[in-house]
Amino acid sequence: MKILVSTTKFGPDKNDLIIQELVDSGKWKQALANVEKRLKKVRDDRLLLNKALILVSCEDKARFLQGVEELRNLVERKPPVVDLDILRTIDQPDLYDYLDPEMLSSMWDRAQSAQPRNEQFLSAWITESLKRHDYMAAQKAATRAMMISKNKRRFFFQAVAWAHLSTVVPNARMDEKESRLCEAFAFKFLSAAASRVVTKDDFCSMFSKLSLADKQGLQTAQASAPIDPSSTALQTSKDVLLLVYIFRSQGKNEEALWILCDEKRTGLQSAIAAGSWELMAEKVKLLELCGYWQELWNTCYAVLLDANLARSGSTDIPVFSYGGIGDDFSMWKGLARAASNIGSEQIISKTCDAFKNMTFLSSRNRFLGRLEFELHPLSTARDKSDLLSSLFGYQNQYRASPSNFRDISHFMARIAANEKWPLLLESAKLAEVIAPQSVQSQEAMAIKWIRSELNSLKLDYNVVVSAEHNLSNTVLLETFAANCLRLYQISLQVEQGMPVTERRCGDDAAILAAMACIHLAHQNRSYALLQGTAILEKLLISSMHNYDAILLLVRVYLYQGAVSRAFELYERLDVKNIQAYTLSWTLLTRISTIHPHTSNTKRCDPHILLRDYLLWLQTKLDVSPTILQKHVENDNPMGLCETLQLQHLLRTSNTRFLLAVECDRILWRLNDPDRHKFRVPTIEGNLLLADIRDSAAVPNYEHHGQPAMDQYVRPGPVPSDLWVKLQIGLAHLRHKFSADVADMDVATFLTKWDSDGMPGDLKSNTEQLDDADLVELTDQEFQCLRLSLYLIKALKSMATFFNVWSNWSSNESPLQDLRILRRAEDDIHTAIGEIENAITDCSYWKEVNEQPQWYFESMGWEFFHEYYMEGELIVLYTCFLNIVLLFSMRVTLYATTFPSGETLPESLCNPQFWIGALREISRGVSEKNVEIGSIVRKLQGIYRGGDYVKQMRRKILEEDNSDDSSGFRKALDVCLGGDFVGSCCRTLADSWVDCLDGLIGGIRDANPYEQ
């Protein structure tokens, strides 16, 4: 906690330094005595604050409460404290638990009222309000500063920005009425700012009335200072863009469009907005949103016509001043959609002419715009021959472009099946008859042919191979994979003399072959997944940094349970900053229940990686006031909004909670000394989590309507908001078990448990589980959550007994009814019965021990998930039994006060029964660990030996398969080779051995506190 020790504004004196030294060394009593001694001589606000802060930091509860009271007295004092240093020290995060935001906002408000003309004070109020995300208070301060400051413009836009953020960043303290007021404030202020823009006519009218000297002075002033800081009118295109941005976020599209259509003040032909391409793009979006199709068509047509004139070198005067920039796909798309919705013959004809005749513009944009036009659901120009002509034309001109499939794939869902076949045939035909050009070398011609052939294969995979009815056709899958491997092998030969690069022209062919192998693996071809693994590893030999291949291979290794190898590959991505929250899901989803142990290699330690990501996040959540101040000084209100909205997006992202859950579980399982310091953040109220995971990171060429490729190699269902909330509840439950009870007796623990409520609101979230939600959880996760409810119910029953007993004791009334205690006994035994039925008995592991390799390789990641989730449940169960034992010991002490003749719950009055239960679970864990140890030793012996490599090499290369009608076996042998396949098998086996090391310690026999 920050302690203010300086008693003057000019720095600390000798006595202050003594206090600082005492505070730093933890000698709170001596520091407090020094402050109190000085207070007897002089009553000073800074000394009073120092005393309150020292008391709040004391471990003694009475002293702590005294400090909180003195702190609140200082905050609410009349007259108010006006010293900025004191106010800043009070308004610090360490004190937010004792001073609510309303109290702090009121403190600043009253202090500012005492010095209403102090602009510096208002700026400080804004800065401190932003630190605690109190945008309403910041807006209030900015509005007051605007009234007194010479730089009205700066505070005007700050007030608008803070009002806007108050509405878009959810705040549990703000009700709907306040949110609407802030929204109305931003709208009203910006509308007024737009109306205050001086038009050319207004300026001329005013200018004509001035004297010659005044006219010259005004012209000079305008030339030297185009932006007037004293004016609250819109003065730049950025101001107009901010207005449009805020209006659109409020759903006021018509009003935003009206602003952009006011050509005299704020329109695209006005003095302040002319030449802004960002505003033109916004206008096109607004016209489409509002359904003004004729105006949209006119605008897009004019922009494209100007671009065509500019590219042709024409001297005709354009309508707009964008020139060649106007040749943008958004304009072609707007033109196509507008024409389709208008539907008149004249517009259709002129649109078709534009696609044909604007030849100076990008042919790619024109082709894609035409496809958008002909495939639009409302298009009246839909003609099969025209559509095929457009498709063929695009394929003919861009057959060798790397973006070919990406462009076409956007339209595949709208192309009928009978129209896809001619497209496939044309694509294959074009790949075969590429006409050589004399200016090209032989090597360049070959690369062009490879890219053309590759685009044809991608289209074939998307339309035919990955269609649902063809996924069971193993011959088709093998034939396709063979063709891909042949093309990849040719590409390696063509580029043989070229240096190693991030990717080569034929890399995607190897990725397509690996995808076909993944589908084969789902057709009970278990070794097909190993074939796909070897193909991708081969690709990374010549293209070390092909991110598509790396991400897919990370998922494939995770799916097979080879997590340490997945970590090594993930390291190549060099994921930093925001990518940690958009890409990390590919590796870290459920990592704590697949590979939670600390690896010998630092980069393969999930604990370190998770902490690094969470540390980066914390630096972004604590936005530096310096960054905000830079936006203010640079007159950039849009930057202010974007910075703080990004901060909010990260704070509410599901990735933030997902990473915190994984990190917490690993710390807890490893019994890390810092596990009690780490806390999983709680989700406030009904806050909707933001999903910022990049779902398109892993390459995907699957058929429209089919799951993405990543879904075939995922370690469990994709975590949803419900999954995150339930896992947070479990994390809080673990902390309750392992921390709180260690510091207090069982009665205090249980009554505190009952008063605090269920951890993470686990019960209300679990009640949402129904058949539809089960797909979001693995079977093991659902089982653990379901059984946790039984534990919580039993704990609440025990807490109820202590609450009722304390009331009876205080009233000195005899206990007449034992129903509560008997209900607690029933709940305890119900929980025990359910958990013991759910925990896998030793016979399961004995069965696995008989065929360890088959179980392990068929289960993959689930083998580890089953083990770790069962271990977690056993540890929770052991903690619960310890609490019940303590409860039983306390009930035994109370037994003498129960009325005679009553039958007491036998088990709850017999601590030895629970000691026996603990010994029984310990014995069961020991037996499990023996079996698990045997399994691990067998598996590691298999994977360390050379026989496994030889056996798997034969399977991958299908050396025992005499039927090679598809040519797949030969293509594999030519592309991979036996030695390389052997090294891949060795890599996979070593990763499995490393991951199995985490199981050697067995399930922990948990006892986190003294009995």
Side-chain angles (χ1 to χ4, degrees):
M1 181 183 296
K2 176 185 174 184
I3 305 291
L4 178 70
V5 294
S6 175
T7 53
T8 69
K9 294 182 179 180
F10 306 104
D13 59 16
K14 181 179 179 181
N15 289 319
D16 293 333
L17 294 174
I18 294 174
I19 296 175
Q20 181 69 68
E21 185 177 347
L22 291 171
V23 169
D24 292 341
S25 59
K27 298 177 180 178
W28 306 107
K29 291 183 179 180
Q30 294 92 320
L32 184 62
N34 189 305
V35 172
E36 289 178 333
K37 181 179 178 181
R38 296 175 67 185
L39 276 170
K40 291 178 181 179
K41 298 179 180 180
V42 57
R43 300 287 291 179
D44 181 82
D45 285 345
R46 295 190 172 214
L47 285 173
L48 289 172
L49 177 59
N50 283 342
K51 178 185 176 183
L53 293 174
I54 292 170
L55 287 170
V56 167
S57 302
C58 286
E59 296 180 0
D60 182 75
K61 188 174 182 180
R63 289 283 195 179
F64 165 76
L65 293 174
Q66 178 189 350
V68 172
E69 184 64 26
E70 292 192 11
L71 192 62
R72 289 179 174 173
N73 289 339
L74 195 61
V75 169
E76 297 175 341
R77 195 187 69 184
K78 294 180 181 179
V81 177
V82 295
D83 188 320
L84 265 180
D85 288 339
I86 294 178
L87 294 174
R88 287 193 180 108
T89 305
I90 292 174
D91 198 348
Q92 60 173 297
D94 290 332
L95 298 178
Y96 290 168
D97 291 338
Y98 324 121
L99 305 172
D100 58 65
E102 286 78 8
M103 187 180 293
L104 291 170
S105 182
S106 175
M107 173 188 74
W108 284 97
D109 196 352
R110 289 184 293 105
Q112 191 274 331
S113 299
Q115 41 187 346
R117 307 293 299 178
N118 190 333
E119 184 177 331
Q120 180 186 2
F121 186 92
L122 286 164
S123 296
W125 182 8
I126 293 172
T127 302
E128 297 304 318
S129 298
L130 293 179
K131 287 181 182 178
R132 61 176 185 276
H133 314 293
D134 189 350
Y135 300 122
M136 282 192 69
Q139 178 246 316
K140 181 188 293 185
T143 305
R144 293 183 184 178
M146 182 181 66
M147 302 299 178
I148 64 171
S149 174
K150 293 181 179 179
N151 194 341
K152 294 182 182 296
R153 172 183 170 80
R154 172 180 297 177
F155 290 108
F156 170 83
F157 280 108
Q158 282 192 54
V160 170
W162 309 144
H164 168 65
L165 287 167
S166 296
T167 63
V168 298
V169 177
N171 190 326
R173 301 186 305 272
M174 181 183 292
D175 57 28
E176 186 178 353
K177 182 179 178 181
E178 289 175 321
S179 179
R180 287 181 178 177
L181 284 173
C182 289
E183 183 178 298
F185 175 92
F187 177 75
K188 181 179 178 181
F189 264 47
L190 286 173
S191 298
S195 65
R196 283 193 287 268
V197 175
V198 178
T199 67
K200 186 175 181 180
D201 293 340
D202 295 337
F203 180 79
C204 292
S205 175
M206 176 188 69
F207 192 76
S208 62
K209 299 176 183 178
L210 299 177
S211 64
L212 179 61
D214 289 339
K215 288 180 181 179
Q216 293 174 344
L218 182 59
Q219 288 174 336
T220 303
Q222 279 191 322
S224 60
I227 295 180
D228 181 6
S230 65
S231 171
T232 58
L234 303 182
Q235 300 183 56
T236 68
S237 61
K238 289 184 178 180
D239 298 348
V240 182
L241 191 62
L242 177 68
L243 178 147
V244 173
Y245 169 76
I246 291 178
F247 279 20
R248 279 191 63 189
S249 70
Q250 295 181 3
K252 295 181 170 63
N253 297 325
E254 294 271 0
E255 291 81 352
L257 183 58
W258 185 88
I259 294 293
L260 293 181
C261 291
D262 185 359
E263 299 299 349
K264 290 186 177 181
R265 286 185 167 83
T266 53
L268 298 180
Q269 303 282 31
S270 65
I272 65 173
S276 172
W277 178 252
E278 291 86 354
L279 288 176
M280 170 55 77
E282 288 294 331
K283 182 176 181 179
V284 168
K285 292 176 186 175
L286 288 168
L287 286 169
E288 183 171 354
L289 286 171
C290 296
Y292 293 137
W293 302 113
Q294 186 63 55
E295 182 61 28
L296 174 61
W297 191 91
N298 292 340
T299 302
C300 293
Y301 187 82
V303 170
L304 291 169
L305 190 60
D306 286 349
N308 193 56
L309 289 172
R311 294 274 175 85
S312 67
S314 172
T315 57
D316 292 349
I317 299 175
V319 178
F320 299 102
S321 57
Y322 306 119
I325 298 175
D327 183 14
D328 188 87
F329 177 63
S330 63
M331 295 296 118
W332 288 107
K333 184 168 69 172
L335 185 76
R337 292 185 176 179
S340 298
N341 280 275
I342 294 171
S344 69
E345 291 185 8
Q346 181 182 4
I347 293 294
I348 295 293
S349 176
K350 292 188 71 173
T351 303
C352 292
D353 290 342
F355 289 130
K356 293 176 183 178
N357 300 329
M358 291 188 183
T359 53
F360 290 99
L361 302 183
S362 166
S363 56
R364 177 168 174 252
N365 285 339
R366 283 193 293 118
F367 273 121
L368 295 178
R370 182 162 186 171
L371 289 176
E372 179 70 34
F373 174 54
E374 291 172 348
L375 288 169
H376 194 280
L378 298 179
S379 178
T380 58
R382 185 71 189 274
D383 184 276
K384 182 177 179 180
S385 60
D386 289 343
L387 173 61
L388 291 177
S389 175
S390 298
L391 288 169
F392 293 169
Y394 176 80
Q395 288 291 80
N396 183 52
Q397 187 154 352
Y398 294 97
R399 57 186 175 274
S401 169
S403 62
N404 178 286
F405 178 78
R406 185 172 63 249
D407 290 342
I408 290 291
S409 62
H410 296 298
F411 304 104
M412 294 307 293
R414 288 184 272 170
I415 299 175
N418 61 338
E419 294 169 343
K420 291 179 181 179
W421 286 107
L423 179 62
L424 282 173
L425 296 173
E426 181 69 13
S427 179
K429 178 182 175 182
L430 289 170
E432 294 175 0
V433 291
I434 295 181
Q437 298 180 21
S438 57
V439 295
Q440 294 177 310
S441 65
Q442 190 66 29
E443 183 181 85
M445 290 168 53
I447 290 176
K448 184 177 181 181
W449 172 80
I450 290 169
R451 287 176 174 168
S452 180
E453 186 71 25
L454 183 54
N455 285 328
S456 179
L457 286 173
K458 289 179 180 178
L459 199 59
D460 187 26
Y461 180 88
N462 177 267
V463 175
V464 181
V465 177
S466 62
E468 184 177 7
H469 60 277
N470 285 330
L471 289 179
S472 58
N473 190 336
T474 56
V475 175
L476 176 64
L477 290 168
E478 286 185 345
T479 303
F480 177 80
N483 291 335
C484 292
L485 289 177
R486 292 190 195 101
L487 181 65
Y488 178 64
Q489 190 63 24
I490 293 172
S491 72
L492 291 180
Q493 294 172 2
V494 169
E495 297 183 305
Q496 189 172 9
M498 299 177 67
V500 175
T501 58
E502 290 191 0
R503 61 190 307 147
R504 295 182 181 273
C505 67
D507 283 359
D508 286 353
I511 292 176
L512 287 170
M515 290 178 172
C517 290
I518 291 171
H519 284 303
L520 282 169
H522 284 275
Q523 302 301 321
N524 297 323
R525 295 275 293 275
S526 57
Y527 56 87
L529 201 57
L530 297 175
Q531 292 172 332
T533 304
I535 291 169
L536 291 172
E537 287 281 14
K538 178 69 174 180
L539 185 157
L540 293 179
I541 296 296
S542 56
S543 301
M544 293 179 61
H545 302 290
N546 186 312
Y547 290 163
D548 287 347
I550 292 174
L551 283 168
L552 182 57
L553 194 51
V554 164
R555 299 297 281 175
V556 170
Y557 273 122
L558 278 177
Y559 190 73
Q560 295 175 92
V563 184
S564 60
R565 178 56 180 162
F567 261 97
E568 292 172 2
L569 291 167
Y570 184 80
E571 178 73 7
R572 292 192 194 178
L573 298 173
D574 196 23
V575 172
K576 294 178 181 177
N577 302 333
I578 190 65
Q579 285 185 323
Y581 286 80
T582 59
L583 281 180
S584 62
W585 66 270
T586 56
L587 175 72
L588 298 176
T589 300
R590 291 189 177 86
I591 194 67
S592 62
T593 57
I594 301 176
H595 178 77
H597 74 281
T598 303
S599 173
N600 294 328
T601 307
K602 178 181 177 181
R603 68 184 181 188
C604 295
D605 187 351
H607 167 216
I608 294 175
L609 187 63
L610 287 163
R611 282 195 164 183
D612 287 346
Y613 286 171
L614 291 170
L615 182 62
W616 175 85
L617 173 68
Q618 195 56 47
T619 63
K620 292 303 173 186
L621 295 183
D622 300 330
V623 176
S624 169
T626 306
I627 296 175
L628 300 178
Q629 189 62 31
K630 281 184 178 180
H631 286 308
V632 171
E633 292 173 355
N634 295 334
D635 195 19
N636 186 13
M638 179 72 83
L640 282 172
C641 291
E642 290 175 348
T643 299
L644 291 170
Q645 281 192 275
L646 173 62
Q647 182 196 43
H648 171 70
L649 185 66
L650 291 173
R651 181 182 294 107
T652 60
S653 70
N654 53 12
T655 310
R656 174 200 177 196
F657 295 98
L658 186 148
L659 297 182
V661 163
E662 301 297 335
C663 187
D664 176 82
R665 182 178 267 120
I666 292 176
L667 291 174
W668 182 75
R669 182 169 287 119
L670 295 177
N671 211 14
D672 191 283
D674 294 334
R675 68 186 185 280
H676 299 315
K677 299 178 183 178
F678 184 83
R679 283 291 185 270
V680 177
T682 303
I683 299 176
E684 299 178 4
N686 295 320
L687 179 67
L688 293 177
L689 301 183
D691 191 351
I692 61 174
R693 293 170 293 191
D694 183 4
S695 59
V698 179
N700 179 52
Y701 302 108
E702 300 302 301
H703 187 78
H704 174 70
Q706 290 288 96
M709 172 47 62
D710 171 65
Q711 302 301 304
Y712 293 97
V713 286
R714 66 183 186 189
V718 178
S720 62
D721 284 10
L722 177 61
W723 184 92
V724 171
K725 292 175 182 178
L726 291 169
Q727 295 303 318
I728 290 174
L730 276 179
H732 292 167
L733 179 62
R734 291 193 297 268
H735 280 281
K736 287 278 187 182
F737 274 167
S738 60
D740 293 349
V741 75
D743 304 323
M744 61 188 79
D745 66 276
V746 68
T748 307
F749 168 75
L750 288 171
T751 51
K752 184 176 184 297
W753 175 293
D754 193 38
S755 62
D756 289 348
M758 289 192 184
D761 197 20
L762 185 62
K763 183 174 185 296
S764 64
N765 283 318
T766 310
E767 285 175 344
Q768 299 177 37
L769 292 176
D770 53 27
D771 292 340
D773 295 322
L774 292 182
V775 297
E776 302 178 2
L777 301 165
T778 65
D779 293 340
Q780 297 84 356
E781 287 170 342
F782 179 75
Q783 191 79 296
C784 191
L785 288 163
R786 186 180 69 84
L787 296 173
S788 296
L789 287 185
Y790 286 104
L791 297 181
I792 291 172
K793 184 178 180 182
L795 289 167
K796 287 183 71 69
S797 295
M798 290 187 278
T800 303
F801 168 76
F802 279 123
N803 285 330
V804 175
W805 176 261
S806 63
N807 291 332
W808 283 326
S809 300
S810 61
N811 296 329
E812 298 182 357
S813 301
L815 177 60
Q816 300 294 337
D817 194 350
L818 296 174
R819 285 179 300 175
I820 295 174
L821 189 58
R822 289 172 184 149
R823 187 184 307 127
E825 182 187 39
D826 290 342
D827 291 340
I828 290 169
H829 284 287
T830 300
I832 290 172
E834 290 286 340
I835 292 174
E836 289 184 344
N837 289 334
I839 294 176
T840 307
D841 59 24
C842 194
S843 61
Y844 169 77
W845 293 105
K846 288 180 179 178
E847 184 181 343
V848 175
N849 200 2
E850 293 174 0
Q851 292 181 293
Q853 185 177 356
W854 182 86
Y855 271 98
F856 180 74
E857 293 181 12
S858 62
M859 293 180 70
W861 69 273
E862 278 192 284
F863 185 90
F864 296 99
H865 188 64
E866 177 85 36
Y867 165 82
Y868 286 121
M869 290 305 295
E870 181 183 358
E872 179 168 322
L873 185 58
I874 289 175
V875 173
L876 288 174
Y877 181 41
T878 309
C879 292
F880 173 73
L881 288 179
N882 274 284
I883 295 171
V884 176
L885 171 61
L886 296 174
F887 178 76
S888 174
M889 294 168 66
R890 182 62 65 89
V891 170
T892 303
L893 294 176
Y894 292 163
T896 56
T897 64
F898 291 140
S900 59
E902 292 287 347
T903 303
L904 301 178
E906 183 178 351
S907 63
L908 292 185
C909 294
N910 183 10
Q912 291 299 320
F913 175 84
W914 302 107
I915 293 174
L918 280 166
R919 288 173 178 168
E920 182 66 21
I921 190 67
S922 181
R923 183 188 62 79
V925 168
S926 298
E927 290 182 0
K928 278 182 176 28
N929 289 339
V930 170
E931 291 296 332
I932 293 168
S934 175
I935 293 169
V936 170
R937 284 190 293 274
K938 285 183 179 179
L939 287 172
Q940 290 188 328
I942 292 171
Y943 297 133
R944 284 192 176 117
D947 290 341
Y948 169 77
V949 172
K950 293 178 182 178
Q951 175 189 2
M952 295 314 297
R953 184 178 64 184
R954 292 185 65 87
K955 284 189 175 182
I956 291 174
L957 295 177
E958 301 187 26
E959 294 177 1
D960 299 327
N961 182 9
S962 59
D963 179 19
D964 189 29
S965 56
S966 64
F968 183 45
R969 180 169 62 83
K970 182 179 180 180
L972 276 172
D973 189 33
V974 171
C975 183
L976 302 179
D979 292 341
F980 180 78
V981 171
S983 67
C984 288
C985 294
R986 181 76 274 153
T987 299
L988 179 63
D990 289 344
S991 181
W992 278 339
V993 169
D994 181 53
C995 294
L996 288 166
D997 279 340
L999 278 60
I1000 291 177
I1003 297 171
R1004 183 158 57 97
D1005 188 4
N1007 188 7
Y1009 51 85
E1010 294 294 332
Q1011 294 186 15

